Amino acid sequence: MKTILFPTDFSENANHAMQFALQLAKDFDARLHIINTYQIPYATSVPNVYNLLEALKKNSIDDLNKCVNGIKSNPDYNNLNITHDAIAGDLINAIAEIESNHSIDLIVLGTKGASGIKEILIGSNAEQVVYHSKSSVLVVPNQTTEFSFNNITLASDLTPVDEKKFNTFVSLCKKYQTKVTVVSIQTKNSVNENETTNHHQLNEILSGLEHQFQMIKNDDITNSLNSFVEENQSNILALISKKYSFFENIFHKSITNKLACHTKIPIFVIKEK
């Protein structure tokens, strides 16, 4: 892992997630690129738009400099390779532009987190980044209490995967000697004729890692996985975001969002689309 992208709005949630981004950058000797986006809503109706935009740009740059200087003042992180940029426009377009010009291995995002069964990503920047980005995404709820990757639950429907998209995930697991449990939920409507072959593919991808497979029979995919994560005391829930047909995409996007929205632990999203 060579480059980590960390978008921030300098909120408490973002500052909490930044500790994950910093530790990952340190452990992997990776470049940490911190961005902040700014824009004027309904700009055409605002007088002196240019002056206001310049003021927003200055505030963004000042806040980024303050953020980076704060990091550098910490002896644990003063040798990190940190770059930063204030970008005009919305976050999704900014990330798309960065991804088109640079190789990004991981995006780290903060989000409000769940209290009981509360949706935390729907309609938020985090959900939009998870859906639109090309890179793997680590979403860190503000309720996460420790930096730990020693026990990961990987949710899979045991359909074919793009092995190259697992590079960041596998390198992270190797670095932290992670135990990976691949969990598939079998519902009464589950149909996967190539399950054995795809099981073998994931087994090959995870070779060299401590891993096991577990199947759960239950029609409620979201609650089944959340229950397993709790019982297994997982530190991270990993999801695979795939490209499906129109109708399949509605179904799988809904499941992915629900899983990401009903947990207090970080979500690692492996992007395939």
Coordinates of all heavy atoms in Angstrom, one line a residue, residues 38 40 48-62:
Y38 N -14.5 22.4 -0.9 CA -15.4 23.6 -0.5 C -16.1 24.0 -1.8 O -15.7 23.8 -2.9 CB -14.5 24.7 0.0 CG -13.5 25.2 -1.0 CD1 -13.8 26.3 -1.9 CD2 -12.2 24.6 -1.1 CE1 -12.8 26.7 -2.8 CE2 -11.3 25.0 -2.0 CZ -11.6 26.1 -2.9 OH -10.7 26.5 -3.8
I40 N -19.9 26.6 -3.0 CA -21.0 27.5 -2.7 C -22.3 26.9 -3.2 O -22.4 26.7 -4.4 CB -20.8 28.9 -3.3 CG1 -19.4 29.5 -2.9 CG2 -21.9 29.8 -2.9 CD1 -19.1 30.8 -3.6
N48 N -21.2 38.7 -5.1 CA -19.8 38.6 -4.9 C -19.3 37.2 -4.7 O -18.6 36.8 -3.8 CB -19.4 39.4 -3.6 CG -19.8 40.9 -3.7 OD1 -19.6 41.5 -4.8 ND2 -20.4 41.4 -2.7
V49 N -19.8 36.3 -5.7 CA -19.4 34.9 -5.6 C -17.9 34.7 -5.6 O -17.4 33.8 -4.8 CB -20.0 34.2 -6.8 CG1 -19.5 32.7 -6.9 CG2 -21.5 34.2 -6.8
Y50 N -17.2 35.4 -6.4 CA -15.7 35.2 -6.5 C -15.1 35.5 -5.1 O -14.3 34.7 -4.7 CB -15.1 36.1 -7.5 CG -13.6 36.0 -7.6 CD1 -13.0 34.9 -8.2 CD2 -12.8 37.0 -7.0 CE1 -11.6 34.8 -8.3 CE2 -11.4 36.8 -7.0 CZ -10.8 35.8 -7.7 OH -9.5 35.6 -7.7
N51 N -15.5 36.5 -4.5 CA -14.9 36.9 -3.2 C -15.2 35.8 -2.1 O -14.4 35.4 -1.3 CB -15.4 38.2 -2.7 CG -14.8 39.4 -3.5 OD1 -13.8 39.2 -4.2 ND2 -15.5 40.5 -3.5
L52 N -16.4 35.3 -2.2 CA -16.8 34.3 -1.2 C -16.1 33.0 -1.4 O -15.6 32.3 -0.5 CB -18.3 34.1 -1.3 CG -18.9 33.0 -0.4 CD1 -18.6 33.3 1.1 CD2 -20.4 32.9 -0.5
L53 N -15.9 32.7 -2.7 CA -15.2 31.4 -3.1 C -13.7 31.5 -2.6 O -13.1 30.6 -2.1 CB -15.2 31.2 -4.6 CG -14.9 29.8 -5.1 CD1 -15.8 28.8 -4.4 CD2 -15.0 29.7 -6.6
E54 N -13.1 32.7 -2.8 CA -11.7 32.9 -2.4 C -11.6 32.8 -0.8 O -10.6 32.3 -0.3 CB -11.2 34.3 -2.8 CG -10.9 34.3 -4.3 CD -9.8 33.4 -4.7 OE1 -8.7 33.5 -4.1 OE2 -10.0 32.5 -5.5
A55 N -12.6 33.3 -0.1 CA -12.6 33.2 1.3 C -12.7 31.7 1.8 O -12.1 31.3 2.7 CB -13.8 34.0 1.9
L56 N -13.6 31.0 1.1 CA -13.7 29.6 1.4 C -12.5 28.8 1.1 O -12.0 27.9 1.9 CB -14.9 28.9 0.6 CG -16.3 29.4 1.0 CD1 -17.3 28.8 0.0 CD2 -16.6 28.9 2.4
K57 N -11.8 29.2 0.0 CA -10.5 28.5 -0.3 C -9.5 28.8 0.7 O -8.7 27.9 1.2 CB -10.0 29.1 -1.7 CG -8.7 28.5 -2.1 CD -8.3 29.0 -3.5 CE -6.9 28.5 -3.9 NZ -6.6 29.0 -5.3
K58 N -9.4 30.1 1.2 CA -8.4 30.5 2.2 C -8.7 29.7 3.5 O -7.8 29.2 4.1 CB -8.5 32.0 2.5 CG -7.4 32.4 3.5 CD -7.5 33.9 3.7 CE -6.4 34.4 4.7 NZ -6.5 33.7 6.0
N59 N -10.0 29.6 3.9 CA -10.3 28.9 5.1 C -9.9 27.4 5.0 O -9.4 26.8 6.0 CB -11.8 29.0 5.4 CG -12.2 30.4 5.9 OD1 -11.4 31.1 6.4 ND2 -13.5 30.7 5.8
S60 N -10.2 26.8 3.8 CA -9.8 25.4 3.6 C -8.3 25.2 3.7 O -7.8 24.3 4.4 CB -10.3 25.0 2.2 OG -10.0 23.6 2.0
I61 N -7.5 26.1 3.1 CA -6.1 26.0 3.1 C -5.6 26.1 4.5 O -4.7 25.4 5.0 CB -5.4 27.0 2.2 CG1 -5.8 26.6 0.7 CG2 -3.9 27.1 2.4 CD1 -5.3 27.7 -0.3
D62 N -6.1 27.2 5.2 CA -5.7 27.4 6.6 C -6.0 26.2 7.5 O -5.1 25.8 8.3 CB -6.4 28.7 7.2 CG -5.9 29.9 6.5 OD1 -4.8 29.9 5.9 OD2 -6.5 31.0 6.7

